[in-house]
Amino acid sequence: MKFDIISVFPELFSGVLDCGIIRRARQAGLVDVRLVNLRDFTSDRHRSVDDRPYGGGEGMVFIPGPLFDAVEFCRATKGGENAKVVFLTPQGRPWTQNMAGEFAVIPHLILICGRYEGVDQRVIDYLVDLEVSIGDFILTGGEIPAMALLDSVVRLLPGALGCGESAVNESFSTGLLDYPQYTRPAEYRGYSVPEVLLSGDHAKIEKWRKEKALEKTKRVRPELARIFHENSSAPAAQTGVNTRRTQWGDEGI
Ligand code: 4FV
């Protein structure tokens, strides 16, 4: 899989690319990430990438030229003619685990990281395939959202997660938040691990984990619990909406 990341601060990505699972996936050739400096596509001696908004108002806006040239460069140099262009913006579609799964099969992604008030609308209308948001809050730039997208996709690439890690049965892939995790020591400062987890009775452990996951989901994300309930109670044919069976089967809540 290929990523081109267009940014005025490509140096921000070094830490993310040179550590942990992403570093390993790059070394294993599972993913190829190229950082593209937007200023390399400017034409004036000030290497300007932004200008004042038409119609007045605060702040600055990315001008279209350098972005169009940078995307065409990415498309031209890596056989990326069918690359998908993604703009990270609070006005985008909320990023989800399902989308990470969908993106993990796209051969080539070009990510545009905005700054300031955003980009000229003609970039969005004529260059961008999808606008994506990582949440209803405002950051200083699109770089951190791009890192979140990259990280959540790369870890789903076959072979990216080592033996100790699994992308199956994790939060959101089951439709629920995760159940509580415990490890040694069984007693810490008087705080003990739930007996059931030390019982070795896997059916009882499975049941306890389901209850805990549901309990947490109902408390923290009631809307997810409602969807989980609808999905697991209504027969597949009737719902027709992501009727994937959860890991807990469908004996309902
Ligand atoms: C953002 C988000 C985000 C908005 C102004 C960059 C900033 C600045 N991107 N999900 N939330 N972007 O806050 O994706 O240009």
Side-chain angles (χ1 to χ4, degrees), residues 23-245:
R23 174 192 173 88
R24 206 173 55 205
R26 294 174 62 220
Q27 287 172 333
L30 300 177
V31 64
D32 166 7
V33 181
R34 179 170 60 172
L35 301 174
V36 177
N37 189 330
L38 184 60
R39 292 198 190 280
D40 295 346
F41 298 88
T42 55
S43 45
D44 67 321
R45 64 191 172 78
H46 303 299
R47 292 164 65 82
S48 313
V49 295
D50 61 330
D51 202 338
R52 286 177 291 101
Y54 272 122
E58 295 310 303
M60 300 292 274
V61 175
F62 270 5
I63 56 181
L67 283 166
F68 273 77
D69 296 348
V71 167
E72 278 147 20
F73 165 80
C74 296
R75 282 197 188 292
T77 53
K78 266 193 174 172
E81 43 292 329
N82 56 10
K84 289 281 176 235
V85 178
V86 176
F87 175 47
L88 289 304
T89 167
Q91 283 75 44
R93 198 170 130 198
W95 185 245
T96 65
Q97 190 62 20
N98 279 351
M99 287 169 77
E102 288 161 15
F103 274 48
V105 293
I106 298 175
H108 189 168
L109 283 171
I110 299 172
L111 307 184
I112 296 177
C113 305
R115 284 261 150 186
Y116 319 120
E117 298 313 305
V119 303
D120 183 289
Q121 185 62 32
R122 290 165 286 187
V123 170
I124 295 168
D125 296 344
Y126 305 113
L127 205 55
V128 169
D129 296 299
L130 186 69
E131 295 173 273
V132 167
S133 170
I134 64 162
D136 298 343
F137 47 86
I138 304 301
L139 299 165
T140 59
E143 285 77 11
I144 291 170
M147 294 172 193
L149 188 154
L150 175 80
D151 188 291
S152 58
V153 169
V154 170
R155 63 186 293 281
L156 295 177
L157 297 176
L161 289 182
C163 50
E165 301 120 349
S166 152
V168 184
N169 298 341
E170 61 185 356
S171 293
F172 311 109
S173 62
T174 62
L176 294 176
L177 299 183
D178 235 344
Y179 49 77
Q181 297 278 7
Y182 292 86
T183 186
R184 287 181 294 192
E187 191 78 25
Y188 180 71
R189 295 190 179 188
Y191 306 125
S192 53
V193 170
E195 275 309 310
V196 63
L197 295 178
L198 311 174
S199 69
D201 177 334
H202 293 294
K204 259 172 66 188
I205 291 169
E206 208 56 27
K207 188 169 177 305
W208 178 87
R209 284 176 167 173
K210 170 179 170 182
E211 280 150 10
K212 287 295 175 187
L214 280 163
E215 198 185 290
K216 172 102 186 218
T217 308
K218 276 185 189 157
R219 186 160 35 84
V220 179
R221 300 289 303 277
E223 82 285 358
L224 285 182
R226 246 192 317 284
I227 294 163
F228 177 80
H229 188 47
E230 282 149 20
N231 276 353
S232 41
S233 53
Q238 192 186 347
T239 61
V241 285
N242 63 18
T243 56
R244 59 181 165 68
R245 295 166 56 73

